[in-house]
Amino acid sequence: GTEKAFVPVVDGRLCKRCGICIRFCPRGIFEPDEQGYPRVARPHDCTGCLMCFYRCPDFAVEVERVAGGVPTG
């Protein structure tokens, strides 16, 4: 079958750098950048659990499903 993966995307316009997504991700895919914004450091480790999406108080995180490297929307 087609390999499915998930990629979190952080909207820097909405993100307040609280670090909740970094702390709550069970796979530790986020790291803070030099300004404290979450950076997706290990996208291939994302399981699509949506903890970052549901915990973000500013609605700054979306998790996109990709199939074969192409976003499916």
Side-chain angles (χ1 to χ4, degrees), residues 2-73:
T2 303
E3 180 180 328
K4 291 210 184 330
F6 301 89
V7 178
V9 178
V10 179
D11 185 336
R13 297 168 300 174
L14 298 174
C15 178
K16 304 289 191 295
R17 300 180 284 188
C18 67
I20 289 175
C21 58
I22 295 171
R23 288 192 303 274
F24 276 93
C25 177
R27 300 296 301 259
I29 68 162
F30 296 101
E31 288 181 357
D33 70 8
E34 60 279 347
Q35 296 176 346
Y37 287 99
R39 178 178 69 84
V40 181
R42 290 169 286 286
H44 298 296
D45 289 343
C46 180
T47 62
C49 73
L50 301 178
M51 283 291 274
C52 56
F53 173 79
Y54 288 120
R55 295 285 183 164
C56 179
D58 299 304
F59 307 100
V61 182
E62 293 286 333
V63 178
E64 297 179 359
R65 172 175 268 181
V66 295
V70 178
T72 60

